[in-house]
């Protein structure tokens, strides 16, 4: 395993991060602990979780993942594990998360971190991330910014503008938590270039904590990070934590071989609208065929592509079986040839970002 410095911090993290969002729903506690033990044995020191997990989010499973991870973490040398956590922001329908938070204000962020620390059985979280922006932005498969969503009436020309907690106030609360030793560094998730730049600018202007990382979707059929965001990350020294490198299994080839194959796509119908776009099956089939034509498994090609991109600091992988986990970690050792990379680019130009 290789390691890299995260942003402007002294944190050295493995290039692969173990995601945990299946724990407590698709994976039992015993299975989860087996995965965690194996990942650490392979040199992975970076574990990512969130108060909202497991997903899909449900009232009956909310917080189970953190409890499962906490039961494992209490028996580990804490200083050897880099732990990522996330605070959920306002989201319609999730009333079970702290009563349905209306904002990322001081009270909500504090309630989120206190709950997570208790469930994780630790005194601190290394990288604490805002799971999604509070303000109006396209997220989770949406791709168009709509000014009408800025207003209570739903129209751009009339109605009162919605209130949201300023980025400065969010940073001030996070600064308090750093001072108290409850978190070490801060990160963003599902964020847009404007948001990253505002967090960076305001932090510099008011001497507040700098953003360490951004956790966003990135894979062969969603390369939106390359349009503007990669330059922001490079110039501001912010690390990308790439999630969904296998595009909910679409890039493993299993749904090409059997559209009814077991997985989140078939198990949780209606979930992950990002991958319901018209060109997803066509593009997925093309990438699957490219891998097989070059005697590579589709999983190996998709993961290696993300693992070794210059702007990806660490890639968050997840699995529901040990077979999957072992294959995903082993893919790190494989480097794609220039020929395969060129063929990937040709397909990208033909099927550009079908799952934005």
């Amino acid at each position: 395993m290789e390691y890299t410095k995260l942003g402007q911090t002294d944190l050295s993290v493995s290039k692969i991060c173990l995601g945990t969002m299946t724990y407590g729903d698709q994976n039992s506690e015993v299975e989860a602990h087996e995965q965690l033990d194996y990942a650490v044995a392979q040199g992975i020191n970076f574990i990512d979780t969130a108060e909202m997990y497991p997903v899909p989010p449900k009232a009956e499973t909310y917080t189970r993942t953190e409890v499962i991870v906490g039961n494992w973490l209490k028996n580990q040398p804490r200083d050897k594990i880099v732990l990522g956590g996330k605070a959920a922001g306002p989201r319609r329908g999730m009333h079970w998360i702290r009563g349905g938070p209306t904002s990322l204000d001081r009270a909500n962020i504090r309630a989120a971190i206190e709950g997570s620390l208790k469930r994780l059985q630790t005194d601190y979280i290394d990288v604490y991330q805002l799971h999604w922006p509070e303000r109006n932005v396209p997220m989770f498969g949406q791709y168009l910014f709509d000014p009408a969503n800025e207003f209570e009436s739903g129209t751009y020309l009339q109605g009162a503008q919605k209130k949201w907690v300023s980025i400065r106030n969010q940073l001030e609360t996070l600064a308090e938590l750093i001072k108290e030793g409850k978190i070490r560094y801060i990160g963003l998730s599902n964020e847009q270039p404007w948001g990253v730049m505002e967090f960076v600018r305001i932090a510099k202007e008011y001497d507040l904590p700098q953003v360490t990382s951004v956790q966003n979707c990135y894979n062969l059929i969603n390369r939106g990070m390359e349009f503007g965001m990669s330059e922001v990350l490079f110039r501001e020294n912010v690390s990308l934590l790439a999630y969904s490198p296998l595009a909910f299994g679409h890039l493993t080839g299993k749904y090409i071989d059997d559209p009814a194959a077991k997985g989140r796509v078939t198990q949780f119908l209606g979930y992950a609208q990002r991958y319901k776009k018209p060109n997803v099956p066509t593009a997925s089939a093309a990438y699957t065929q490219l891998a097989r034509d070059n005697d590579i498994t589709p999983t190996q090609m998709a993961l290696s592509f993300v693992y070794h991109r210059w702007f990806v600091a660490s890639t968050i992988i997840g699995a529901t079986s040990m077979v999957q986990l072992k294959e995903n970690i082993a893919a790190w050792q494989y480097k794609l040839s220039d020929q395969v990379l060129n063929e990937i680019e040709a397909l990208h130009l033909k099927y550009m970002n079908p799952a934005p």
Side-chain angles (χ1 to χ4, degrees), residues 282-307:
T282 305
S284 299
Y287 285 113
T288 295
Q289 190 61 50
L290 173 61
R292 291 171 175 168
D293 286 346
N294 285 277
D295 297 319
I296 314 167
T297 70
T299 296
Q300 192 176 44
M301 186 180 81
L303 286 175
S304 183
F305 176 80
V306 177
Y307 284 162

Side-chain angles (χ1 to χ4, degrees), residues 44-290:
I44 292 175
N45 71 343
F46 196 5
I47 310 297
D48 182 73
T49 189
E51 63 170 342
M52 185 187 75
Y53 291 169
V55 294
K58 292 176 285 189
E60 59 268 29
T61 58
Y62 161 59
T63 72
R64 277 187 193 171
T65 299
E66 287 187 326
V67 171
I68 289 172
V69 172
N71 289 339
W72 174 84
L73 187 64
K74 68 180 180 181
N75 297 314
Q76 309 303 314
R78 181 65 184 86
D79 61 334
K80 302 299 183 183
I81 302 295
V82 178
L83 182 64
K86 294 188 282 293
R91 189 83 174 165
R92 185 174 297 170
M94 293 188 192
H95 56 86
W96 57 86
I97 301 179
R98 289 174 274 111
T102 56
S103 67
L104 283 170
D105 59 9
R106 187 173 183 271
N108 271 291
I109 292 176
R110 280 193 163 276
I113 187 67
E114 295 294 350
S116 290
L117 291 175
K118 182 177 180 180
R119 291 184 291 269
L120 290 165
Q121 302 185 58
T122 185
D123 295 327
Y124 66 94
I125 291 176
D126 295 280
V127 184
Y128 196 56
Q129 303 148 101
L130 303 180
H131 207 151
W132 56 82
E134 177 184 332
R135 68 185 192 280
N136 166 36
V137 293
M139 292 184 294
F140 306 121
Q142 300 169 341
Y143 57 95
L144 295 174
F145 175 77
D146 186 355
N149 292 331
E150 295 281 300
F151 299 87
E152 297 291 352
S153 64
T155 174
Y156 182 69
L157 298 176
Q158 63 184 18
Q161 189 160 11
K162 296 177 183 176
K163 302 292 184 183
W164 50 278
V165 176
S166 71
I167 288 174
R168 178 180 174 181
N169 286 348
Q170 293 175 50
L171 282 170
E172 287 171 342
T173 299
L174 294 168
E176 292 175 5
L177 297 176
I178 290 175
K179 186 175 181 179
E180 294 167 14
K182 294 176 179 177
I183 60 176
R184 296 181 65 192
Y185 301 102
I186 65 169
L188 305 173
S189 184
N190 300 295
E191 190 48 280
Q192 300 288 329
W194 183 88
V196 176
M197 285 305 305
E198 277 297 279
F199 271 93
V200 168
R201 179 187 67 80
I202 291 169
K204 290 178 180 177
E205 183 174 349
Y206 295 99
D207 193 25
L208 292 166
Q210 283 287 347
V211 170
T212 295
S213 59
V214 176
Q215 183 178 144
N216 276 19
C217 182
Y218 181 70
N219 56 52
L220 285 171
I221 57 175
N222 182 336
R223 292 173 59 177
M225 293 298 299
E226 298 173 9
F227 294 85
M229 183 70 93
S230 58
E231 181 184 6
V232 170
L233 301 181
F234 172 74
R235 299 199 183 282
E236 301 300 335
N237 195 9
V238 176
S239 292
L240 173 63
L241 308 179
Y243 75 75
S244 199
L246 293 175
F248 272 42
H250 286 284
L251 294 172
T252 67
K254 68 179 182 180
Y255 296 121
I256 303 302
D257 298 333
D258 178 10
K262 184 179 179 181
R264 278 177 289 168
V265 170
T266 53
Q267 187 173 350
F268 303 117
L269 298 178
Y271 183 56
Q273 294 303 309
R274 188 192 306 274
Y275 301 110
K276 296 295 184 182
K277 309 294 193 308
N279 263 351
V280 167
T282 305
S284 299
Y287 285 113
T288 295
Q289 190 61 50
L290 173 61

Side-chain angles (χ1 to χ4, degrees), residues 325-341:
L325 182 63
K326 290 177 179 179
E327 181 181 14
N328 292 353
I329 295 174
W332 165 257
Q333 302 298 331
Y334 192 87
K335 303 288 179 68
L336 299 178
S337 67
D338 288 342
Q339 175 190 333
V340 171
L341 289 171

